[in-house]
Amino acid sequence: MTGSGSETLLPRRRRRRQSNWRGLAYIAPAMALVIVFFIMPVLFTGWMSLHNWPLMGASRWIGFNNYYRMVNDTRFVTALNFTAYYTVIVTIAIFAVAFPLAIFVEKERQFVSAYRTVIFLPVVVGLATASLLWVWLANVDSGFIGPALKALGLVEKSPNLLATFDTAFLTVVVMVVWKIAGFTMIILLTGLQAIPSELTEAARIDGAGRWQRFRHLTLPLMRKTIALALIVSVTGSILAFDQFYIMTSGGPQNKMISVVYYIFNQSFVSFNLGYGAALSIVLLAILVAISIVQLWLLRVGEERP
């Protein structure tokens, strides 16, 4: 009996081992892509950050001097502050537009598919292309926004929207919301459609109003969806570069230089590749920390099994 039992276990172990190897074979291409295009570049960037790495010539080991340099780099601190300010404003604006749109297109009504398509269309436009489009729209001479404001009697003459910080910042935020809100709307729409209609109907029968259903039913059941949309929005905002590089070139008066823009300047304008690599590592650490905090905050209050 013992011999027969051991003989039975051997084929099971062999099949389990074969299954494990087959599973590894299936995920091997994805693992290779992650290793080649993420892990290795991050490790190499970390190695560069410990060197004085000029564009031409030999690199020189300097340890953590590039990281010590950040502490006294007021321009980096200014770029961090501006990026944080921009991230808060644009994330709130995107959610303020995307959530009502998601609720609007979630209901089955006439032309709802057309509404979803029209709202989502700006998402397929590249960010660089969208930035160039809005540079033209905001142009004081040949653009559309200035003459439209003048025709409506809101201004006496066409304003140069990209000439001052307030109007340039507002123009960039409006462009990003126009470009990204449709994508966030789709994410939130999937969460809304995943809520069982029986729960909503039961709450309505029990006398819960629209706001009560939204606060006590919709929002709690959309925690994971909101977490995903929030992480995507915050990460994209922190990594903002194209809109500032194309629309304002960091101006007016270098007041709109984001962290990524500053890293670009240090790496490919000043050719301080080692310092740029150190800035990139710090930015990666900030992104990871913010994502962890967001996930933790959105899990607070969830019912534990």
Side-chain angles (χ1 to χ4, degrees), residues 11 32 39 49 66 76 94 132 139 142 146 156 166 186 224 235 255 260-261 270 290 295:
I39 295 179
S49 70
N66 282 324
F76 174 59
I94 288 173
L132 289 171
N139 188 278
S142 59
E156 295 182 0
D166 291 336
I186 294 297
K224 293 182 180 179
T235 302
K255 292 182 178 180
V260 176
Y261 198 162
S270 301
I290 290 176
L295 289 172

Side-chain angles (χ1 to χ4, degrees), residues 101-147:
L101 288 176
I103 294 174
F104 173 73
V105 300
E106 191 264 338
K107 304 294 183 182
E108 288 297 334
R109 54 168 55 89
Q110 192 176 14
F111 305 122
V112 67
S113 297
Y115 295 148
R116 294 173 182 174
T117 302
V118 170
I119 295 170
F120 188 77
L121 273 178
V123 178
V124 303
V125 180
L127 187 56
T129 303
S131 300
L132 289 171
L133 172 63
W134 278 75
V135 167
W136 170 74
L137 290 173
N139 188 278
V140 66
D141 297 318
S142 59
F144 172 78
I145 299 177

Side-chain angles (χ1 to χ4, degrees), residues 279-300:
L279 292 170
S280 300
I281 294 297
V282 170
L283 179 58
L284 176 62
I286 292 173
L287 286 172
V288 172
I290 290 176
S291 298
I292 292 173
V293 171
Q294 286 178 319
L295 289 172
W296 178 79
L297 289 176
L298 288 168
R299 286 178 60 88
V300 171

Side-chain angles (χ1 to χ4, degrees), residues 97-293:
V97 173
F99 221 132
L101 288 176
I103 294 174
F104 173 73
V105 300
E106 191 264 338
K107 304 294 183 182
E108 288 297 334
R109 54 168 55 89
Q110 192 176 14
F111 305 122
V112 67
S113 297
Y115 295 148
R116 294 173 182 174
T117 302
V118 170
I119 295 170
F120 188 77
L121 273 178
V123 178
V124 303
V125 180
L127 187 56
T129 303
S131 300
L132 289 171
L133 172 63
W134 278 75
V135 167
W136 170 74
L137 290 173
N139 188 278
V140 66
D141 297 318
S142 59
F144 172 78
I145 299 177
L149 294 175
K150 183 178 179 181
L152 293 172
L154 299 177
V155 294
E156 295 182 0
K157 61 178 182 178
S158 297
N160 187 352
L161 297 176
L162 301 179
T164 62
F165 174 81
D166 291 336
T167 56
F169 184 79
L170 179 61
T171 303
V172 171
V173 170
V174 171
M175 185 278 294
V176 172
V177 172
W178 170 81
K179 170 77 174 66
I180 303 298
F183 178 73
T184 306
M185 178 202 72
I186 294 297
I187 296 177
L188 297 174
L189 178 61
T190 60
L192 288 172
Q193 291 178 335
I195 298 176
S197 58
E198 294 82 2
L199 294 178
T200 305
E201 187 62 28
R204 186 184 291 109
I205 294 173
D206 289 340
R210 183 173 300 179
W211 169 248
Q212 290 176 318
R213 294 196 303 271
F214 178 77
R215 179 182 176 184
H216 298 290
L217 181 65
T218 302
L219 285 180
L221 292 176
M222 289 187 63
R223 281 183 177 273
K224 293 182 180 179
T225 305
I226 293 174
L228 173 62
L230 190 61
I231 290 173
V232 170
S233 179
V234 170
T235 302
S237 301
I238 293 176
L239 296 177
F241 170 75
D242 298 54
Q243 55 267 48
F244 300 118
Y245 181 75
I246 295 174
M247 296 182 67
T248 67
S249 297
Q253 299 176 347
N254 293 328
K255 292 182 178 180
M256 297 179 67
I257 295 181
S258 65
V259 173
V260 176
Y261 198 162
Y262 185 69
I263 293 173
F264 169 81
N265 282 338
Q266 289 296 318
S267 300
F268 304 111
V269 177
S270 301
F271 300 122
N272 297 323
L273 298 181
Y275 187 52
L279 292 170
S280 300
I281 294 297
V282 170
L283 179 58
L284 176 62
I286 292 173
L287 286 172
V288 172
I290 290 176
S291 298
I292 292 173
V293 171

